[in-house]
Amino acid sequence: MRKYWPLYAMALPGIAFLVIFKYVPLLGSVIALQDYSVFRGLQDSPWVGFKHFETLFRYPDFQRVLVNTLLLGALKTILAFPIPVMLALMINEVRHALVKKGIQTALYIPHFLSWVIVGGIVFDVFAISGLFNIVIGWFGYDPVLVMQDSRFFRAVYVITGIWRDAGWGTIVYMAAISAIDPQLYESAMMDGASKWKQMLYVTLPLLMPTILILFLLDIGNFMELGFDHVFNLLTPMTYSVGDILDTYVFRTGIQQAQYSFATAVGLFQSVIGFILVHTFNRMSRKISDGGLW
């Protein structure tokens, strides 16, 4: 530590962030087992065991909310996760430096828009007088209230997620690709490998460990779809397919000041996430001999 103290000093802000915002709040998870009162505090609030978990499981719409959460999580993982990988592979094949940087910048920009702004854009595009209905009107179709139709909510959720975050997700993959030894590509070219085969047999296999790690990190948030993303796209007509655990907690836990209940739901989501990470990590170790641990 004396020899490498500058490195430890550089790590201190990150360690402090983890301790303050990740580990210390874990102590507050005990309120899931209490009827927590802000005025009584942790010590004097009565213990009620698993009362709030039972309330969650007995909630009449719990099955619908859980199914919506699982379906949107599955769609997000299956459809949205591979997109940054494909974008990174395609961007890597662009040889003109200026064009390459321009494409990357254009793909990064949407990430800096808040979901409030993205939601406003989406509602404007799909409004009766919006761009979508204008275009389909050219082909003789009647206007469609996309944002008020439950059939389209999940598709809109996935597409907006890809549009906003796919470009930002390429950063790690581009960094991993840039670390690949150029001699491997030279050897492949000498063996007659085309650009497609170089990408398929050199880039992709060497990128796989990074893909695996990011997939395991992403699967841990399987149940946490992003409250702001869903909430800013929801309408009363799409609650049947768009109401998830996060929005349910907001209505019942936050707005009604049921903090213990909200914490219980958060713990439930975390346990599911831990089980998924542990399961997929064991699978990855058997398949590729790699994983988070």
Side-chain angles (χ1 to χ4, degrees):
M1 291 183 68
R2 288 182 179 179
K3 185 177 180 180
Y4 299 107
W5 69 266
L7 298 178
Y8 286 99
M10 290 173 61
L12 279 178
I15 295 171
F17 174 84
L18 286 174
V19 171
I20 295 171
F21 295 102
K22 299 296 182 181
Y23 287 97
V24 172
L26 287 176
L27 301 176
S29 298
V30 297
I31 69 174
L33 305 175
Q34 295 178 316
D35 268 335
Y36 177 73
S37 170
V38 177
F39 304 102
R40 292 184 176 183
L42 286 174
Q43 293 184 344
D44 297 327
S45 295
W47 295 88
V48 294
F50 294 100
K51 169 188 171 183
H52 300 295
F53 293 95
E54 293 174 0
T55 302
L56 172 64
F57 298 141
R58 290 175 181 174
Y59 174 61
D61 292 329
F62 171 72
Q63 184 176 357
R64 174 179 59 81
V65 172
L66 181 61
V67 168
N68 289 341
T69 305
L70 294 175
L71 280 175
L72 289 178
L75 289 172
K76 179 182 175 182
T77 302
I78 296 170
L79 300 178
F81 181 80
I83 301 298
V85 181
M86 292 187 285
L87 283 176
L89 292 172
M90 289 189 289
I91 293 171
N92 185 57
E93 297 304 319
V94 178
R95 291 292 169 253
H96 197 289
L98 190 60
V99 174
K100 188 174 184 177
K101 289 181 180 179
I103 293 171
Q104 287 178 291
T105 303
L107 292 173
Y108 293 165
I109 287 175
H111 177 77
F112 298 100
L113 300 176
S114 70
W115 281 114
V116 176
I117 295 174
V118 174
I121 293 172
V122 171
F123 274 93
D124 285 341
V125 169
F126 291 112
I128 285 292
S129 58
L131 179 63
F132 177 78
N133 281 310
I134 291 174
V135 172
I136 66 173
W138 295 343
F139 298 94
Y141 291 98
D142 294 328
V144 180
L145 289 171
V146 175
M147 300 307 295
Q148 284 73 35
D149 194 327
S150 60
R151 295 175 300 171
F152 302 110
F153 179 83
R154 288 167 182 160
V156 172
Y157 170 82
V158 174
I159 292 170
T160 52
I162 292 173
W163 177 75
R164 181 180 181 269
D165 294 325
W168 187 256
T170 62
I171 293 176
V172 176
Y173 297 117
M174 291 298 296
I177 291 173
S178 66
I180 297 175
D181 190 348
Q183 293 182 358
L184 295 173
Y185 294 105
E186 294 173 4
S187 300
M189 290 174 63
M190 292 178 64
D191 290 337
S194 62
K195 285 292 183 182
W196 169 254
K197 289 188 175 180
Q198 289 177 40
M199 182 179 69
L200 196 61
Y201 296 110
V202 178
T203 309
L204 193 57
L206 293 175
L207 195 60
M208 195 55 67
T210 303
I211 295 173
L212 183 62
I213 294 297
L214 291 179
F215 175 77
L216 290 172
L217 293 173
D218 188 67
I219 204 71
N221 297 321
F222 185 83
M223 300 285 285
E224 299 174 11
L225 303 175
F227 164 78
D228 45 356
H229 185 181
V230 177
F231 184 77
N232 284 291
L233 297 178
L234 271 180
T235 62
M237 286 72 78
T238 57
Y239 264 80
S240 59
V241 295
D243 193 20
I244 60 173
L245 285 170
D246 290 333
T247 54
Y248 168 61
V249 167
F250 174 72
R251 292 197 312 275
T252 60
I254 306 302
Q255 289 186 328
Q256 298 178 20
Q258 298 182 30
Y259 303 118
S260 294
F261 179 75
T263 305
V265 178
L267 279 177
F268 172 72
Q269 292 176 287
S270 299
V271 169
I272 298 297
F274 172 77
I275 292 171
L276 289 172
V277 170
H278 184 72
T279 302
F280 279 94
N281 188 73
R282 292 191 64 178
M283 291 171 60
S284 68
R285 290 185 64 84
K286 290 182 179 180
I287 296 171
S288 63
D289 196 29
L292 288 175
W293 66 87

